[in-house]
Amino acid sequence: MLDMELIRKDREAVASALAKRLDPAEVTRALDEIQQLDQDRRALISAIDAERQRRKAEARAYAAAKRAGTEPEVSAPEAGRKQLAELEAELDEVQSRLRTSMSELPNLPADDVVPGGKEANRVVKVFGEPPTIEKVRDHVELSRALGLVDHERGVKLGGSGFWMYTGMGARLEWALLNWFVDRHVAAGYEFLLPPHLLLHSAGFAAGQFPKFYDDVYHLDRESAPRGQFLLPTSETAILGAYQDEILDPAKLPLKAFAYTPCYRRESAGSHSDERGTVRGHQFNKVEIFQFTLPEQADAALEEMLAHAESLVEGLGLHYQRSLLSAGDASASMRKTLDIEVWMPSTGKYKEVSSVSWAGDYQARRAAIRYKEPGGKQTRFVHTLNGSALATSRLFPAILEQFQQPDGSVLVPEVLRDRLGTDRLVPPGR
């Protein structure tokens, strides 16, 4: 969440940044409510402190009178307990309301992030050229012809929005994931395999809850009284693993990555550019993550972006990089850059990686801090995350960009040793 002190000291700057994402009138209402609750909280804290001091003084006077054998001029200490309890209960309520209001505010977009939606996204880099293909076949047709994905049995097993990799398709999927793992380890990231079921606190820390609570699959309260849900991305797990910790600044940046399936309730694709494995309820993704000192964040963002792009380039795919506008980026992020691969069948680009910097927004929600050497105060770390990569869109891009006139598909060179072949052909051919 945001820094309350920043809102107190420079409300105008906060309001201006939030207006990139929200209606200005909504920003005004939200900040008015937050500042009023903050004033109420501080007034109640002062009143509670004063009441405690008064009770201490009266208790001392009462005890002194009793020792002297005189009649106390003040009431017994028990008399003030009710008033103090009422003030403390009121403070708890105000603090709960303030925390809820603060948690609903999005992050402040970085200075170079413009307002608007998808129409305001800006392409900042293009790699390679679109392949020249005389007769384009889409990835659904190719995957069926080559026996790589069984969409019908996937639906039979899980319902709409599910698929099943088969044969060389399953091997290609696994080869991609293993290649990613090798590349991330070589780049100094620690490999994690986290639980797929997470507690509510992890979703809150990442900024997914409360706003996007309904976008994930939750276990019912009877079987999971602590509020477990299926992770929508391993970003949530990596961040949540370090909740309520004070990190050693000498070990920052802390670099980790995780492979998990991702489970999401979003609608399965029905448009031509979202068919097949492009959008569904379960897909595989490897996520890279860094916890950094504030001054390390800029370099970390560039390093993570270059690393994710090196994977797409290593596969030989044509792609572009886009700087997302405030309205198209995740509400938890200050800045997001998407890596988008070319899909010849639709003539459009599809995102396979989002590399983002959250500033200290997630760290505040998760209470992840560091203590400077010799210092007494702790500060919040900065967090960054990036898909590296999501395979459900990468797989179709490989099929479409590397399709051949004879119906086969060339295997990217970096995966040929893992698959034992340089091309995918129909079964039995």
Side-chain angles (χ1 to χ4, degrees), residues 121-352:
N121 293 347
R122 182 165 57 92
V123 176
V124 294
K125 175 184 175 180
V126 177
F127 175 81
E129 298 289 337
T132 301
I133 305 170
E134 186 174 336
K135 185 179 180 181
V136 177
R137 303 169 73 190
D138 71 27
H139 60 278
V140 177
E141 181 184 354
L142 288 164
S143 65
R144 285 190 171 123
L146 298 172
L148 307 178
V149 181
D150 193 327
H151 298 280
E152 290 72 25
R153 288 192 173 98
V155 172
K156 183 192 296 184
L157 286 170
S160 177
F162 292 90
W163 57 84
M164 182 169 67
Y165 294 107
T166 58
M168 287 300 289
R171 290 183 60 189
L172 175 58
E173 176 80 356
W174 216 240
L176 282 166
L177 294 168
N178 279 313
W179 183 61
F180 297 159
V181 168
D182 291 345
R183 291 290 302 273
H184 299 332
V185 170
Y189 288 82
E190 182 182 11
F191 189 12
L192 308 177
L193 286 174
H196 296 187
L197 284 172
L198 305 180
L199 295 174
H200 182 278
S201 60
F204 177 85
Q208 287 147 358
F209 302 161
K211 185 173 182 180
F212 301 105
Y213 183 87
D214 293 333
D215 290 352
V216 302
Y217 291 101
H218 296 269
L219 272 65
D220 65 88
R221 285 289 180 171
E222 184 176 345
S223 59
R226 297 184 65 189
Q228 288 171 299
F229 64 97
L230 281 167
L231 53 72
T233 166
S234 52
E235 168 202 339
T236 314
I238 301 173
L239 175 74
Y242 290 88
Q243 291 174 88
D244 303 312
E245 293 191 22
I246 298 177
L247 305 182
D248 182 352
K251 296 181 179 179
L252 299 178
L254 190 161
K255 302 166 65 175
F257 78 96
Y259 156 71
T260 66
C262 301
Y263 308 93
R264 301 183 184 180
R265 293 182 63 182
E266 59 188 345
S267 300
S270 57
H271 300 295
S272 61
D273 61 339
E274 294 186 344
R275 296 174 63 231
T277 66
V278 171
R279 184 178 295 276
H281 299 304
Q282 177 185 328
F283 60 92
N284 292 318
K285 181 161 70 78
V286 180
E287 186 83 8
I288 56 176
F289 202 99
Q290 290 197 31
F291 301 88
T292 75
L293 300 173
E295 59 269 24
Q296 296 171 334
D298 286 346
L301 181 64
E302 292 301 319
E303 184 269 318
M304 293 173 72
L305 190 60
H307 182 60
E309 288 183 339
S310 75
L311 301 178
V312 187
E313 293 174 11
L315 293 168
L317 293 169
H318 166 57
Y319 74 90
Q320 67 181 22
R321 180 206 299 176
S322 295
L323 174 61
L324 300 193
S325 67
D328 197 31
S330 165
S332 298
M333 299 300 148
R334 295 206 66 196
K335 185 175 184 176
T336 296
L337 295 111
D338 273 4
I339 300 169
E340 303 157 342
V341 292
W342 175 248
M343 302 294 285
S345 66
T346 62
K348 297 179 181 179
Y349 291 88
K350 278 293 181 184
E351 173 253 319
V352 294

Side-chain angles (χ1 to χ4, degrees), residues 3-10:
D3 182 359
M4 188 67 237
E5 189 63 25
L6 179 61
I7 295 175
R8 291 189 197 116
K9 289 183 175 179
D10 200 349

